[in-house]
Amino acid sequence: MSSQQPTDEPVYEDRVYRSTMGVVSGVLLLALTAWLCGDAVLRGSGNTPWIALAVALCAVPLIVAFTIRPAVFANDDRMRVRNPFRIIELPWAAVDAVRSGYSAEVLAEGSKYQLWSVPVSLRERKKANRQRLRHEGLRDREERSPGGKTPVPAEPMRASADRIVDELQRLAERGAERAGAQGSVRVQWSYEIIAPAVAGALLLIVLVALR
């Protein structure tokens, strides 16, 4: 008899991965939107206040969706990916690989899901690769010259996205056999983001058409 545990009651807050720059930029954009739209509502005439409200209704959910909202939550049993418009729950047994190329992504059950909260910086990766090459050169020089005093860093530098992806891959490999890590991928659309953005866009179209 299987001792599989329920898969809908995990604790996700063990590890949280999100973009600090994304959150900061989102807060700044929200402040700018509030200032511009608020000024238009207070000082505008005719349809201008309503247009400003429609813009805010459409823009605020989108700003939140693409900057503040994205996050990855991972524990020993599963990973939950919160992207702009979807939440993807992936038990480790269903994960085929976590990898980073031009973007960070997870492969599971024949599908690919991007990790929006783990942005890949090619510039940071190139810098890390140069540092690693220097590290390997220093290590080879030290091996050829016993007793040398060339300082060699204990650990070569890694780009933050690659480091996070490696950690998630290790979690997937370690947790795949756990009873609580069994199950299928579940995808849920985030209508609390989609609905107001669509409503704001439709209202804006109507107001602009009536001007």
Side-chain angles (χ1 to χ4, degrees), residues 51-65:
I51 291 176
L53 289 174
V55 169
L57 182 60
C58 179
V60 168
L62 294 178
I63 292 171
V64 171

Side-chain angles (χ1 to χ4, degrees), residues 85-162:
F85 302 116
R86 296 191 299 177
I87 296 176
I88 306 104
E89 184 177 309
L90 305 108
W92 291 129
V95 173
D96 299 320
V98 186
R99 67 188 187 186
S100 62
Y102 291 106
S103 64
E105 55 195 24
V106 54
L107 307 179
E109 297 180 347
S111 298
K112 179 172 65 176
Y113 307 96
Q114 285 192 330
L115 308 181
W116 281 76
S117 67
V118 187
V120 173
S121 171
L122 297 181
R123 181 179 180 180
E124 183 185 6
R125 181 178 288 166
K126 289 179 181 178
K127 181 179 178 181
N129 288 338
R130 288 196 300 268
Q131 195 269 355
R132 187 170 65 252
L133 290 174
R134 285 198 303 270
H135 177 275
E136 292 174 354
L138 289 173
R139 186 175 58 189
D140 291 343
R141 191 185 310 169
E142 187 180 63
E143 290 174 354
R144 290 194 300 268
S145 306
K149 297 182 179 181
T150 304
V152 179
E155 192 70 26
M157 181 180 175
R158 291 276 286 160
S160 59
D162 296 334

Side-chain angles (χ1 to χ4, degrees), residues 174-194:
R174 189 170 65 228
E177 301 301 323
R178 290 172 56 88
Q182 308 306 306
S184 300
V185 176
R186 294 193 299 181
V187 179
Q188 176 183 348
W189 288 97
S190 302
Y191 294 106
E192 70 277 11
I193 295 290
I194 298 171

